[in-house]
């Protein structure tokens, strides 16, 4: 934790330049993959989706503001965030369909892309209902946790039922050095868990300006590149879809960077997690997703650990111990004195390092 704190503290805070630098870095990664594979599979979808998303975001943000879709900030969060109240939310509506459409056009005849698009849009719809209820209640609580989880589970079960019927999922998880972890029928409950865990992890990560959008773009790019590098075990169609999703979040990041002009809301964060889970399950990329999406995992585990320790140590006065200043993890560093943008870019750097490690440890 000390080394991570030092990394975050050393990060500069020019958000526009850093967002553009991240975009150029991911474009360079896509171009290098295209050069290596002798096919423009990643750079074109990434650029097209980024440009369209940026244009739609510029056009759509004033419309969201006119519709009075202003974010409601939870009172128990960091007090510095209260100034963000009223910032337009539900920005995922502007960019998720762009990533889905551009990604689907990579291989229109591939039924898997239609299935991934469907589950992504289903999770976007669940997030939109949740966001809308929060806005109408004027409180940062939309759907009940049970209702949201049930809707996510039903959508995931429908996707997994299609995958089982069409025999689209391997029953053994590919690991580095050619190892395989055979699961048999256990792959199906694991698949459901991956959908629920990943979508809620990305949802928890969306707590600072540009954090989820930047990390999401990095992880989608990493998944796309590893699918191109795995040779006969790779998957160019799903790789192109990943590049398009990375592009849509890069276009959004131009307006979601600090200080954010728009938030993605659950509309965007749930769709992001659903798409990551679907791609990983269909391409046997659960190991790369686990490693490359380590920031999402850490954010989720930080909340679980904080709640568990608090409940386990709660005394008669109802007060328990906390292992973090505040959960999720990004708030811990923010309350430790790092600026919001330093935390965000620090987490981007960690994601880039994890993607690099994931590319070295390909299945």
């Amino acid at each position: 934790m000390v080394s991570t704190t030092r990394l975050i503290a050393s990060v500069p805070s020019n958000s526009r330049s850093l967002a553009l630098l991240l975009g150029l870095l991911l474009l360079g990664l896509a171009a290098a993959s295209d050069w290596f594979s002798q096919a423009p599979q990643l750079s074109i979808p990434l650029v097209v989706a980024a440009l369209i998303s940026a244009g739609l975001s510029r056009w759509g943000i004033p419309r969201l503001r006119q519709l009075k879709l202003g974010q409601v900030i939870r009172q128990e969060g960091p007090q510095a965030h209260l100034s963000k109240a009223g910032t337009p939310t539900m920005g995922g509506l502007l960019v998720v369909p762009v990533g889905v459409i551009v990604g689907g056009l990579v291989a229109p005849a591939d039924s898997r892309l239609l299935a991934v698009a469907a589950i992504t849009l289903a999770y976007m719809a669940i997030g939109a209902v949740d966001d809308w209820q929060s806005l109408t209640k004027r409180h940062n609580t939309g759907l009940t946790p049970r209702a949201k989880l049930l809707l996510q589970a039903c959508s995931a079960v429908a996707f997994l039922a299609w995958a089982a019927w069409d025999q689209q999922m391997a029953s053994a998880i590919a690991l580095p050095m050619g190892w395989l972890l055979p699961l048999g029928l256990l792959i199906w409950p694991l698949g459901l868990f991956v959908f629920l865990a990943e979508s809620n992890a990305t949802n928890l990560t969306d707590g600072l300006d540009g954090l989820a959008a930047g990390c999401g773009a990095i992880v989608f790019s990493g998944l796309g590149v590893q699918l191109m590098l795995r040779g006969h075990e790779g998957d160019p169609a799903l790789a192109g879809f990943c590049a398009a999703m990375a592009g849509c979040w890069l276009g959004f990041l131009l307006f979601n960077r600090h200080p954010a002009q728009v938030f993605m809301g659950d509309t965007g964060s749930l769709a992001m997690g659903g798409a990551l889970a679907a791609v990983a399950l269909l391409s046997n990329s659960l190991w790369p997703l686990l490693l490359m999406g380590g920031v999402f995992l850490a954010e989720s585990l930080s909340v679980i650990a904080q709640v568990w320790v608090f409940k386990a140590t709660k005394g008669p006065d109802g007060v328990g111990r906390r292992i973090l200043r505040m959960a999720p993890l990004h708030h811990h560093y923010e309350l430790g004195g790092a600026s919001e943008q330093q935390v965000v870019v620090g987490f981007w750097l960690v994601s880039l390092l994890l993607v690099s490690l994931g590319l070295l440890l390909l299945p």
Side-chain angles (χ1 to χ4, degrees), residues 158-238:
F159 177 90
L160 294 169
W162 165 83
W165 174 75
D166 210 30
Q167 299 182 346
Q168 291 289 354
M169 277 173 51
S171 60
I173 298 177
L175 298 172
M177 295 184 290
W179 292 352
L180 287 173
L181 178 61
L183 293 179
L185 294 177
L186 291 177
I187 191 64
W188 304 109
L190 176 63
L192 176 59
F193 172 78
V194 170
F195 270 110
L196 299 179
E198 192 65 30
S199 59
N200 285 290
T202 51
N203 184 232
L204 289 170
T205 305
D206 183 33
L208 299 179
D209 297 351
L211 179 55
C215 290
I218 292 168
V219 176
F220 272 118
S221 295
L223 285 179
V225 171
Q226 66 92 24
L227 284 172
M228 294 300 294
L229 296 181
R230 282 166 67 177
H232 68 281
E233 294 184 355
D235 198 318
L238 286 173

Side-chain angles (χ1 to χ4, degrees), residues 236-317:
L238 286 173
F241 185 91
C242 286
M245 292 303 296
C248 85
W249 291 120
L250 285 174
F252 182 75
L253 185 60
L254 292 176
F255 304 91
N256 181 237
R257 63 182 174 81
H258 184 73
Q261 301 175 48
V262 64
F263 299 139
M264 69 172 68
D266 284 16
T267 308
S269 60
L270 292 184
M272 179 188 293
L276 286 170
V279 169
L281 288 166
L282 291 183
S283 63
N284 204 346
S285 297
L286 290 178
W287 163 256
L289 176 60
L290 178 68
L291 189 55
M292 296 179 181
V295 165
F296 299 140
L297 177 64
E299 293 274 42
S300 187
L301 290 179
S302 70
V303 173
I304 294 171
Q306 182 89 324
V307 172
W308 184 84
V309 170
F310 182 85
K311 289 184 176 180
T313 59
K314 186 163 61 175
D317 57 354

Side-chain angles (χ1 to χ4, degrees), residues 81-104:
H81 288 208
L82 296 178
S83 62
K84 299 182 181 186
T87 303
T89 187
M90 297 182 73
L93 288 174
L94 301 173
V95 298
V96 171
V98 174
V100 165
I101 293 171
V102 174

Side-chain angles (χ1 to χ4, degrees), residues 1 4-5 8-9 73-74 76-78 80-81 84 140 200-213 215 263 269 294-304 306 323-348 350-351:
M1 185 174 290
T4 307
T5 303
I8 290 173
I73 305 298
R74 64 190 184 102
E76 61 272 21
H81 288 208
K84 299 182 181 186
N140 194 9
N200 285 290
T202 51
N203 184 232
L204 289 170
T205 305
D206 183 33
L208 299 179
D209 297 351
L211 179 55
C215 290
F263 299 139
S269 60
V295 165
F296 299 140
L297 177 64
E299 293 274 42
S300 187
L301 290 179
S302 70
V303 173
I304 294 171
Q306 182 89 324
I323 57 174
L324 301 173
R325 300 179 186 97
M326 183 179 289
L329 187 60
H330 53 260
H331 288 324
H332 171 77
Y333 289 111
E334 189 181 13
L335 294 181
S339 72
E340 179 174 352
Q341 192 59 25
Q342 286 178 325
V343 176
V344 168
V345 180
F347 278 39
W348 289 357
V350 172
S351 289

Side-chain angles (χ1 to χ4, degrees), residues 63-83:
R63 275 71 187 175
L64 294 176
R65 191 174 290 112
Q66 289 171 5
L67 293 171
K68 302 187 185 302
L69 300 181
Q71 178 70 45
V72 180
I73 305 298
R74 64 190 184 102
Q75 295 296 318
E76 61 272 21
Q79 295 303 297
H81 288 208
L82 296 178
S83 62

Side-chain angles (χ1 to χ4, degrees), residues 34-191:
D34 288 349
W35 176 83
F36 181 81
S37 60
Q38 298 297 303
Q41 194 72 16
L42 302 185
S43 54
I44 291 178
L46 187 146
V47 170
V48 170
L51 291 176
I52 297 175
S53 293
L56 275 178
S57 295
R58 181 179 292 277
W59 171 86
I61 291 171
R63 275 71 187 175
L64 294 176
R65 191 174 290 112
Q66 289 171 5
L67 293 171
K68 302 187 185 302
L69 300 181
Q71 178 70 45
V72 180
I73 305 298
R74 64 190 184 102
Q75 295 296 318
E76 61 272 21
Q79 295 303 297
H81 288 208
L82 296 178
S83 62
K84 299 182 181 186
T87 303
T89 187
M90 297 182 73
L93 288 174
L94 301 173
V95 298
V96 171
V98 174
V100 165
I101 293 171
V102 174
L105 292 175
V106 170
D110 193 328
S111 63
R112 297 171 309 154
L113 296 188
L114 181 60
V116 176
I119 190 68
T120 303
L121 294 176
Y123 272 59
M124 183 189 77
I126 295 168
V129 172
D130 188 44
D131 285 335
W132 181 255
Q133 290 202 6
S134 294
L135 292 169
T136 54
K137 293 177 182 177
R138 303 306 303 166
H139 193 274
N140 194 9
T141 54
L143 292 168
T144 65
R146 181 175 297 180
K148 185 192 293 189
L149 203 62
L150 180 61
L151 289 171
Q152 291 172 276
C154 289
S155 300
V157 167
F159 177 90
L160 294 169
W162 165 83
W165 174 75
D166 210 30
Q167 299 182 346
Q168 291 289 354
M169 277 173 51
S171 60
I173 298 177
L175 298 172
M177 295 184 290
W179 292 352
L180 287 173
L181 178 61
L183 293 179
L185 294 177
L186 291 177
I187 191 64
W188 304 109
L190 176 63

